[in-house]
Amino acid sequence: MTYTNFKLDVDADGIALVTWDMPDRSMNVFTEEVMKELDTIVDRVTKDDAVKGAVITSGKDTFSGGADLTMLKRMFQLFHDEKARDQKKAVELLFENTGKMGGLFRKLETSGKPWVSAINGTCMGGAFEMSLACHGRVVSDDPAVKMGLPEVKVGIFPGAGGTQRVPRLTNQQDALQMMTTGSSLTASRAKAMGLVHEVVPAKKLVESAKKMIKAGLKPVQPWDEKGFKLPGGPIYSAAGANLWPAATAILRRETYGNYPGAASILKSVYEGLLVPFDTALKIEQRYFTKILQTTEAGMMIRSLFVSLQELNKGARRPADIKPTRLKKIGVVGAGFMGASIAYVTAKAGIPVVLLDQSVEAAEKGKAHSADLITKEMQRGKATAEEKDVLLGLITASADYADLDGADLVIEAVFEDREVKRVVTEKAEAVLKPAAIYASNTSTLPITGLAKASSRPKNFIGIHFFSPVDKMMLVEVILGKKTSDKALAVALDFVRAIKKTPIVVNDTRGFYVNRCVLRYMSESYNMLIEGVPPAMIENAARMAGMPVGPLALGDETAIDLAQKIMKAAVVDLGEKAVDPRHIELVNTLVDKYDRRGRKNGKGFYDYPAKPAKKHLWPELKTLFPQQDADKIDVEVLKQRFLFTIALEAARVMEEGIVTDPREADVGSILAFGFAPYTGGTLSYIDGMGAAKFVEIAKGLQRKYGAQFRTPKLLLEMAEKGETFYDRFNPYSVEGKKEAA
Ligand code: NAD
């Protein structure tokens, strides 16, 4: 019999080599078809007396990325379709479907024939769960090999036996740590944890796996043997009593109860370890069925898996333009941003000319790359050879003639229209006519800057976030005249440097900064109302924001906030900024010289290490303080998420962002908008526009106009629409509405 996704060869010793190699896919994943074929293979190995055992490996560089989450998407669809008819039956159907993968692995494990997984490359999620169900696991010593159960990162958890097998192979603490963080393991770490049996040279992988079977590997898992004892001791033991109260407390500290998927890992492990294995699998399946029905899982899978991948693969790229092979990039301005942009470009293997006013300034910018890669080397993540190659790709220069031949130039000079105008003209004088010119401006509209260009069609915004080497998002900004070709080149560049792009129309603050300013502005309101500063910071983190708004204000600099406010007043008039906010930043900057982290004084104090930063004690004295016990922390949390989500809705209404996937993914990647919500718009969709509008109206009455609902939301509430209905990124109509 032949298979589409596997090859099966039985050798002279009667050992079947099952090679997983899906056609037309760069990576193996579990699909319904793969599961069906594997099921047939397990049957065949089990029934054929001539077959003594089986080794499963991959025919690709990596082993497998795990389950194809689009399969989950289909499962959701079936569930929702059935739910409309019969709620109880829908849940039963979901329960049945979620058990399929786990059932298959259990069948393999209890087949009576020994199975060994030969892990030749990255092995994640469902694939690692399958490997854990094998009786033996051999891993290649290639440093690129990683294993793990990352499901928690998309709001779910390992639901095909992972939560039961891992803590039966290693101690519970390590098991919980690995699964609740979703972190991946190196081969040696997995071996030390007892999750794999052998780490061998890549060339000897299959041979070693076969050897295990020939040496008489028992086709029975430890937990199916009589008298099995948990490696970390039972739940009800001194060790268990030490671990479990702390584990729940740590989870609470890390997640504030916002991630039901993570909490279910603890519940599955705790309850599962108290009962026999097959019952334990049922417990896991029940929790998994429950988690799949949560809003959090639905939203996180959509934004952090499906949409993220689609954007990375160029969902917004004009399809009719041929991909660009970028052979040379210019970066003008070798300061804070330009130096880092040059680094990420060279890291992607693209030659880059880094230009500043003097060769010294350009060299200083290049030295930043040397610093960054040296740090990588110290962490064992880069070699001396890679450093040489990287630095060899960066040419520091003060001569515009060196930009000749560049396919794309990114300007990152001072935030000053006149300076930018001169630079645009000088660069265009040497650039080939087809070259694309991009500005990294954070505040100046692209259409205005493009006036300095003799070819505004080729002019675009490529807005990076700091620190450039860590931040995964890039905003690509379209000026009025920007062509599809310029967009395609910009997106090809973003893809080459392995970042995620969102495409945004031209406006003051674009998308990300408009939202971030709302976040900070609401914290100013709270300060002025007399909410204790620590409560402001804690409420924001409890709402799911990674960094409190005051801490964020310090990172981005309070004097920058002051500059932005002043500029807004000049450009848009007095009403553009709340005068109390101007007074607050003026007091901090002008009276107390508190500019933020950069001068060691902001909303926080920054004492010398090892002391930790702490809120500036005097901050409390600026405004009469309310009694913390009388403040509803739930309302504070809501105010933060609402003020940002409302701004995102306005941005959609104005047509600045046109695709809800970009608003959602952008908000999580750029400023960590409560990831469990799936992003700014999914937060609204998750509770429904009607409920959102009702709450926003209440907040507006109590706290002010920042909570005013845009017309778009009122209309959506009336029609019962979601953003993904109205601006459906997959339908022609949705695209039209956005345009
Ligand atoms: P910076 O002051 O650190 O660097 C600017 C560099 O441009 C300096 O090295 C300066 O010598 C050089 N320069 C000035 N005039 C020049 C000229 N005529 N020719 C060549 N080089 C010239 O500033 P930065 O923080 O890197 O910001 C640069 C741009 O990036 C600005 O437009 C800013 O709005 C934008 N930006 C900044 C951030 C941020 O977090 N700092 C984030 C996103 C975007």
Side-chain angles (χ1 to χ4, degrees):
M1 184 173 173
T2 56
Y3 307 91
T4 311
N5 302 290
F6 295 92
K7 236 176 54 208
L8 197 147
D9 300 298
V10 182
D11 69 10
D13 295 318
I15 298 174
L17 179 64
V18 181
T19 309
W20 187 3
D21 195 355
M22 295 173 82
D24 310 323
R25 291 235 195 195
S26 58
M27 192 187 262
N28 293 323
V29 286
F30 276 105
T31 60
E32 278 132 354
E33 190 188 43
V34 165
M35 293 210 304
K36 256 189 219 141
E37 287 193 356
L38 185 60
D39 191 75
T40 325
I41 293 171
V42 172
D43 280 341
R44 181 165 160 201
V45 169
T46 310
K47 285 179 193 145
D48 190 342
D49 288 341
V51 178
K52 305 287 171 244
V55 170
I56 183 158
T57 192
S58 153
K60 305 200 188 288
D61 291 345
T62 55
F63 189 87
S64 160
D68 183 8
L69 287 193
T70 47
M71 187 166 77
L72 269 185
K73 226 175 147 186
R74 233 183 342 272
M75 212 147 82
F76 273 128
Q77 198 54 53
L78 282 174
F79 169 70
H80 287 295
D81 292 350
E82 186 60 38
K83 201 172 157 196
R85 288 188 286 271
D86 183 342
Q87 161 107 24
K88 189 164 170 271
K89 225 170 128 202
V91 176
E92 280 165 12
L93 182 73
L94 189 63
F95 182 73
E96 193 190 305
N97 279 329
T98 57
K100 281 192 180 149
M101 206 180 210
L104 171 60
F105 299 163
R106 185 66 179 144
K107 178 172 164 178
L108 178 154
E109 177 174 77
T110 55
S111 66
K113 293 271 172 81
W115 279 77
V116 178
S117 177
I119 302 172
N120 61 316
T122 295
C123 176
M124 290 291 165
F128 193 50
E129 290 183 292
M130 177 187 74
S131 300
L132 293 171
C134 291
H135 309 93
R137 286 167 293 284
V138 186
V139 186
S140 148
D141 65 357
D142 179 341
V145 177
K146 296 269 181 304
M147 282 152 280
L149 297 172
E151 290 84 346
V152 76
K153 292 183 178 165
V154 290
I156 54 176
F157 70 90
T163 66
Q164 299 310 314
R165 291 190 179 91
V166 174
R168 281 172 172 81
L169 286 166
T170 192
N171 70 75
Q172 290 150 39
Q173 185 176 349
D174 285 348
L176 292 181
Q177 223 256 331
M178 168 196 168
M179 291 189 287
T180 53
T181 56
S183 52
S184 43
L185 310 170
T186 57
S188 56
R189 175 71 187 135
K191 172 107 194 310
M193 283 172 72
L195 298 182
V196 302
H197 299 95
E198 286 177 29
V199 180
V200 300
K203 277 195 188 138
K204 299 218 158 132
L205 188 69
V206 172
E207 182 191 323
S208 308
K210 287 187 169 179
K211 236 189 215 161
M212 274 184 103
I213 296 177
K214 279 191 259 178
L217 178 69
K218 212 170 164 185
V220 182
Q221 293 282 30
W223 41 89
D224 287 324
E225 300 255 36
K226 233 179 149 188
F228 168 68
K229 286 199 169 51
L230 290 166
I235 298 271
Y236 293 126
S237 66
N242 267 332
L243 170 70
W244 285 93
T248 45
I250 291 169
L251 185 77
R252 183 89 204 159
R253 185 189 68 196
E254 300 298 322
T255 66
Y256 296 96
N258 288 327
Y259 294 85
S264 287
I265 292 174
L266 262 66
K267 293 179 197 172
S268 289
V269 173
Y270 186 93
E271 293 172 31
L273 293 186
L274 294 171
V275 295
F277 195 71
D278 284 306
T279 316
L281 288 179
K282 279 268 170 320
I283 290 175
E284 180 193 78
Q285 196 183 341
R286 280 208 184 128
Y287 277 119
F288 196 60
T289 308
K290 206 165 146 188
I291 287 305
L292 280 184
Q293 294 172 67
T294 58
T295 307
E296 289 85 348
M299 297 305 181
M300 285 176 80
I301 290 174
R302 181 169 70 188
S303 291
L304 292 169
F305 183 77
V306 182
S307 303
L308 182 68
Q309 271 197 2
E310 287 168 356
L311 296 181
N312 285 343
K313 285 187 185 156
R316 292 297 311 280
R317 191 186 181 283
D320 48 349
I321 292 170
K322 270 205 272 165
T324 342
R325 252 197 56 230
L326 296 157
K327 292 186 284 300
K328 179 175 172 182
I329 301 281
V331 175
V332 187
F336 181 65
M337 293 302 285
S340 304
I341 297 169
Y343 172 73
V344 295
T345 307
K347 198 103 199 278
I350 308 172
V352 47
V353 173
L354 181 59
L355 195 131
D356 208 296
Q357 286 159 306
S358 65
V359 175
E360 294 73 46
E363 285 292 353
K364 195 171 159 230
K366 180 173 171 178
H368 180 62
S369 287
D371 285 351
L372 286 176
I373 189 112
T374 306
K375 279 194 192 122
E376 295 254 296
M377 279 168 64
Q378 282 157 0
R379 275 189 259 120
K381 296 207 162 151
T383 61
E385 203 189 337
E386 282 165 344
K387 179 178 172 177
D388 289 345
V389 171
L390 179 105
L391 295 179
L393 286 168
I394 305 175
T395 310
S397 163
D399 184 357
Y400 279 82
D402 286 336
L403 296 178
D404 183 23
D407 305 296
L408 168 71
V409 167
I410 301 165
E411 164 275 301
V413 299
F414 300 138
E415 190 73 338
D416 180 300
R417 277 195 185 90
E418 183 53 21
V419 176
K420 288 195 192 290
R421 183 187 66 77
V422 173
V423 168
T424 307
E425 285 174 0
K426 280 189 182 167
E428 283 187 356
V430 295
L431 285 176
K432 57 187 176 193
I436 305 302
Y437 186 91
S439 175
N440 179 47
T441 176
S442 28
T443 55
L444 304 170
I446 293 300
T447 308
L449 292 179
K451 290 200 175 121
S453 166
S454 57
R455 21 183 134 126
K457 274 188 184 166
N458 293 4
F459 201 102
I460 196 163
I462 300 186
H463 182 213
F464 284 87
F465 297 92
S466 157
V468 175
D469 55 315
K470 301 229 166 65
M471 296 294 286
M472 293 315 295
L473 191 80
V474 175
E475 263 179 322
V476 173
I477 296 122
L478 302 175
K480 276 219 172 73
K481 296 190 177 159
T482 305
S483 65
D484 274 3
K485 167 83 175 134
L487 172 61
V489 172
L491 292 179
D492 289 342
F493 170 66
V494 176
R495 187 168 186 173
I497 59 170
K498 296 199 174 68
K499 298 208 182 278
T500 301
I502 60 171
V503 181
V504 178
N505 286 314
D506 209 8
T507 181
R508 203 183 180 82
F510 313 127
Y511 168 56
V512 168
N513 285 346
R514 274 180 64 164
C515 291
V516 172
L517 287 177
R518 288 285 171 181
Y519 180 47
M520 299 210 247
S521 157
E522 200 52 21
S523 71
Y524 296 170
N525 288 335
M526 291 177 187
L527 275 178
I528 294 162
E529 287 163 26
V531 178
M535 202 170 177
I536 296 175
E537 294 291 85
N538 288 338
R541 282 196 301 264
M542 288 165 78
M545 301 299 289
V547 183
L550 303 177
L552 187 63
D554 275 1
E555 295 300 329
T556 51
I558 304 175
D559 56 341
L560 178 69
Q562 186 187 34
K563 259 195 214 149
I564 293 174
M565 286 182 199
K566 281 186 182 160
V569 169
V570 171
D571 294 352
L572 309 169
E574 293 280 340
K575 279 197 183 150
V577 186
D578 185 335
R580 301 171 312 156
H581 293 186
I582 297 189
E583 202 186 317
L584 171 64
V585 292
N586 284 350
T587 305
L588 287 164
V589 176
D590 301 337
K591 185 166 171 199
Y592 294 104
D593 191 32
R594 303 197 72 89
R595 290 164 193 271
R597 185 192 272 278
K598 64 179 182 186
N599 78 333
K601 294 186 295 183
F603 293 111
Y604 284 76
D605 274 331
Y606 297 85
K609 278 183 179 164
K612 283 191 177 154
K613 70 172 186 180
H614 54 79
L615 280 158
W616 179 42
E618 299 300 308
L619 195 55
K620 280 194 291 214
T621 65
L622 298 183
F623 306 96
Q625 296 291 285
Q626 292 184 50
D627 177 354
D629 288 338
K630 298 209 170 99
I631 302 170
D632 186 345
V633 74
E634 290 304 319
V635 175
L636 297 183
K637 284 162 63 178
Q638 214 165 45
R639 284 172 65 180
F640 283 129
L641 299 188
F642 266 67
T643 194
I644 301 171
L646 278 163
E647 192 64 16
R650 283 180 207 114
V651 164
M652 290 298 288
E653 181 174 72
E654 291 165 27
I656 303 304
V657 174
T658 53
D659 184 327
R661 293 175 296 184
E662 295 179 307
D664 274 339
V665 172
S667 69
I668 298 177
L669 295 193
F671 51 94
F673 184 86
Y676 64 90
T677 63
T680 44
L681 301 183
S682 284
Y683 176 57
I684 302 176
D685 280 359
M687 75 174 79
K691 184 167 172 207
F692 184 89
V693 166
E694 187 194 320
I695 298 174
K697 282 186 171 164
L699 292 174
Q700 184 186 352
R701 275 192 294 276
K702 236 173 144 184
Y703 302 102
Q706 70 272 30
F707 294 105
R708 198 162 29 101
T709 26
K711 263 208 196 102
L712 168 72
L713 271 181
L714 296 175
E715 215 180 289
M716 284 172 55
E718 212 178 282
K719 293 187 184 159
E721 269 178 340
T722 64
F723 279 99
Y724 286 76
D725 292 333
R726 186 166 178 128
F727 302 91
N728 186 343
Y730 306 105
S731 82
V732 182
E733 291 76 37
K735 284 198 182 118
K736 256 193 230 145
E737 166 82 31

